């Protein structure tokens, strides 16, 4: 993944998820990114589970999910989307693994 300058990290929880304001998938690595992201789950997740993991962290696509996963658009933080999921029973589980996946992808 790459973090363009306009999606710089932020120390604020009000405009980021653990500092992430957004990111882009490198188009040539889209399939690998999705596969590695999915590997963070104990069982093979459905597409909507992958989307919901990012959505619950407040990281949503600028365009559409398919475009963002393939690198044709960015995932950006949306505080209103994140707020919709606060207090949900499985939110912490998915957000924790989503954050680990993002950090693992950033390291690669």
């Amino acid at each position: 993944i790459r973090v363009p300058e306009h999606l710089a990290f932020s120390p604020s929880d009000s405009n980021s998820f653990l500092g992430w304001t957004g990111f882009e998938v490198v188009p040539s690595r889209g399939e690998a990114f999705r596969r590695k992201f999915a590997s963070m789950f104990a069982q093979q997740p459905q597409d909507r589970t992958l989307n919901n993991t990012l959505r619950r962290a407040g990281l949503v696509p600028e365009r559409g999910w398919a475009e963002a996963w393939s690198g044709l658009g960015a995932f950006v933080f949306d505080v209103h989307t994140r707020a919709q999921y606060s207090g949900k029973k499985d939110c912490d589980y998915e957000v924790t693994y989503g954050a680990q996946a993002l950090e693992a992808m950033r390291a690669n």
Side-chain angles (χ1 to χ4, degrees), residues 21 29 35 57 68 75 80 91 96:
T21 62
R29 306 271 302 143
R35 187 174 52 252
F75 289 96
H80 303 293
C91 182
T96 298

Side-chain angles (χ1 to χ4, degrees), residues 13-76:
D13 288 338
S14 66
N15 71 348
S16 71
F17 172 70
L18 300 176
W20 290 84
T21 62
F23 65 92
E24 295 175 347
V25 175
V26 175
S28 63
R29 306 271 302 143
E31 187 175 318
F33 172 74
R34 189 181 184 105
R35 187 174 52 252
K36 286 183 179 184
F37 194 85
S39 74
M40 299 294 291
F41 293 84
Q43 298 176 356
Q44 180 62 34
Q46 296 179 354
D47 288 345
R48 70 173 184 236
T49 301
L50 296 177
N51 295 349
N52 283 340
T53 299
L54 290 171
R55 186 181 291 121
R56 289 177 176 187
L59 294 163
V60 294
E62 284 180 313
R63 297 182 192 176
W65 289 101
E67 290 85 356
W69 283 112
S70 63
L72 301 176
F75 289 96
V76 295

Side-chain angles (χ1 to χ4, degrees), residues 5 8 26 50 84-85:
E5 192 172 314
V26 175
L50 296 177
Q84 291 175 354
Y85 290 95

Side-chain angles (χ1 to χ4, degrees), residues 3 10 22 26 48 58 68 77 81 87 104:
V3 181
S10 170
V26 175
R48 70 173 184 236
F77 181 78
T81 300

